[in-house]
Amino acid sequence: RAAASSAGAPEEGPPGGTAGTGEGMRAAAGLSRLLLRLPGAAERGRGSCREQPPSRLLQPWLAGCRGFGGLMAQYSTEQRGRLHSPDYRLYFKNSKGKYISPFHDIPLFTGPNEVKEIDAKRMKLSESEVVLNMIVEVPRWTNAKMEIATKEPLNPIKQDVKEGKLRYVANIFPHKGYIWNYGAFPQTWEDPHHKDDNTECYGDNDPIDVCEIGSQVRSPGEVVQVKVLGLLGLIDEGESDWKIIAIGVDDPESQKIHDIDDVRKFKPGYLEATVDWFKVYKVPDGKPENRFAFNGKFKDKAFALDIIKSTHEYWRALIHKKTDGGAIKCTNILVGTSPYCCNENDAQAILESAPPFEEK
């Protein structure tokens, strides 16, 4: 992925504020209509393809397992391999004791029951607010280029490797590491076969990236409910690489930040720093500055939601084998209509094939 590179649906999130632009409200309504047209929008199936006895419980934290409280309690992660090494992996498990793919099994849209299909009535809408699930790959102020391993079964989070060496982003003065909590939306895919009309470039073959601008420093593998605020159109090495700007619904400032203009008002300088960071973050590695669509101008929430909808549809084609995914692994246990759906024992075997967790 361009910048993302260290490390059931949650219960219905807290309502957003009452403010909202007309465009944002129309975008929310449009997204509702999309879900009505696509009854399997979140493509959860109706549970795993073939139910198996519950897999063994995760080992305690010292054995490489972590969970998140509150809204994130539905998911936990299990570490495998040696920390800070090329074989380190962070696997995901849901509240039902099943190992899952964060790419395919965690729903894009939030809802009260992760194993049922999500329709417009179950989407979290408050005025113009659409609440989506974000997977955190890289916590703010860290440098390790962690990313969802799209080409591995169950798609754990791993650290990117280049020429046999672990990858880290340089510190871009005056910042330390990534300047937001960086991650991706599940069940989205920037199709490398699709040429975008706005950028005139093809997709980067990854889930769509998210920059979460709240005040908290998140954890790798955390699943966060976020509000979409806008979008930056990065062109990274000739590929479309959208960067969604979002804020966690549990952030204190989320009640007053509803669209990209609110970011300018309440976090002055943050958007300008974001453009500068993406422009030059690869320069220390000897690469040229990145380019942007729309001359580096941010697009609003309505535009961002349209892009998210399109990448969700590309993912649906991918998970149903209606397009060529190349080396991407679509193994999942909850998308019951997918030909790639496996059972819990298969998922358990994938995890057990990975080396045990070592802290050093």
Side-chain angles (χ1 to χ4, degrees):
R1 312 162 67 75
S5 312
S6 154
E11 295 297 323
E12 206 170 293
T18 57
T21 64
E23 285 187 348
M25 296 178 70
R26 289 193 295 274
L31 195 49
S32 298
R33 289 193 294 271
L34 170 74
L35 292 183
L36 286 172
R37 292 197 302 271
L38 305 174
E43 295 299 343
R44 301 305 308 216
R46 293 169 178 80
S48 61
C49 298
R50 297 177 293 280
E51 290 295 327
Q52 299 290 340
S55 60
R56 67 184 185 185
L57 296 175
L58 286 175
Q59 299 302 312
W61 161 242
L62 290 178
C65 181
R66 73 182 78 185
F68 304 106
L71 293 173
M72 273 54 77
Q74 287 79 5
Y75 301 100
S76 59
T77 56
E78 181 171 345
Q79 299 176 94
R80 287 283 176 145
R82 185 164 55 87
L83 199 60
H84 309 304
S85 78
D87 66 1
Y88 176 78
R89 297 292 185 272
L90 194 63
Y91 286 90
F92 286 70
K93 194 174 184 181
N94 68 5
S95 61
K96 296 183 180 295
K98 299 177 180 180
Y99 291 103
I100 61 171
S101 160
F103 186 5
H104 306 301
D105 288 319
I106 293 177
L108 170 61
F109 305 102
T110 63
N113 190 331
E114 68 179 271
V115 300
K116 294 181 180 179
E117 294 179 352
I118 294 176
D119 59 26
K121 293 181 180 179
R122 294 178 56 232
M123 271 190 61
K124 177 59 191 167
L125 292 172
S126 176
E127 292 288 335
S128 61
E129 312 294 9
V130 178
V131 180
L132 304 178
N133 286 321
M134 169 197 177
I135 299 164
V136 177
E137 295 166 311
V138 189
R140 182 190 286 114
W141 312 139
T142 62
N143 299 74
K145 291 177 67 67
M146 306 297 291
E147 61 185 8
I148 293 172
T150 60
K151 298 177 182 178
E152 295 183 15
L154 292 184
N155 315 115
I157 289 178
K158 68 170 186 177
Q159 187 167 357
D160 194 17
V161 175
K162 184 175 182 180
E163 298 177 355
K165 295 182 179 180
L166 296 173
R167 298 188 66 187
Y168 298 86
V169 298
N171 293 322
I172 304 302
F173 183 83
H175 309 292
K176 168 68 171 69
Y178 288 75
I179 65 175
W180 347 256
N181 295 299
Y182 193 80
F185 281 140
Q187 297 188 340
T188 63
W189 182 50
E190 295 200 52
D191 187 350
H193 308 294
H194 171 74
K195 188 175 184 179
D196 185 83
D197 292 336
N198 299 289
T199 65
E200 297 186 347
C201 296
Y202 294 91
D204 73 347
N205 202 32
D206 279 316
I208 197 167
D209 297 324
V210 187
C211 302
E212 195 278 318
I213 64 169
S215 56
Q216 301 180 52
V217 176
R218 305 288 183 169
S219 301
E222 190 172 349
V223 180
V224 183
Q225 292 186 348
V226 300
K227 300 193 307 186
V228 173
L229 305 173
L231 166 152
L232 178 65
L234 179 67
I235 299 175
D236 194 341
E237 299 185 28
E239 296 178 327
S240 294
D241 193 5
W242 302 110
K243 305 300 179 185
I244 302 296
I245 308 301
I247 189 168
V249 297
D250 60 346
D251 192 88
E253 291 187 298
S254 70
Q255 297 301 310
K256 61 184 181 182
I257 296 179
H258 305 282
D259 208 328
I260 203 70
D261 288 335
D262 291 331
V263 181
R264 295 187 179 95
K265 179 179 179 180
F266 295 107
K267 291 180 175 289
Y270 207 163
L271 296 181
E272 292 80 1
T274 295
V275 172
D276 291 341
W277 196 95
F278 279 120
K279 182 178 181 180
V280 303
Y281 83 100
K282 288 188 174 181
V283 171
D285 296 328
K287 295 184 178 180
E289 294 181 351
N290 280 321
R291 299 183 296 114
F292 299 92
F294 317 114
N295 294 318
K297 303 296 183 183
F298 285 83
K299 303 298 282 186
D300 64 11
K301 177 184 349 187
F303 187 94
L305 289 172
D306 282 339
I307 294 297
I308 294 167
K309 285 189 291 183
S310 66
T311 60
H312 180 60
E313 293 183 55
Y314 299 144
W315 169 82
R316 293 181 69 247
L318 173 71
I319 201 69
H320 289 102
K321 208 173 183 179
K322 294 180 178 179
T323 189
D324 181 12
I328 287 183
K329 297 297 184 184
C330 295
T331 308
N332 68 86
I333 70 164
L334 295 176
V335 187
T337 54
S338 167
Y340 303 104
C341 189
C342 69
N343 62 41
E344 186 179 347
N345 287 347
D346 294 333
Q348 179 81 29
I350 291 170
L351 187 128
E352 291 181 349
S353 68
F357 173 63
E358 298 179 58
E359 208 161 349
K360 294 183 179 179

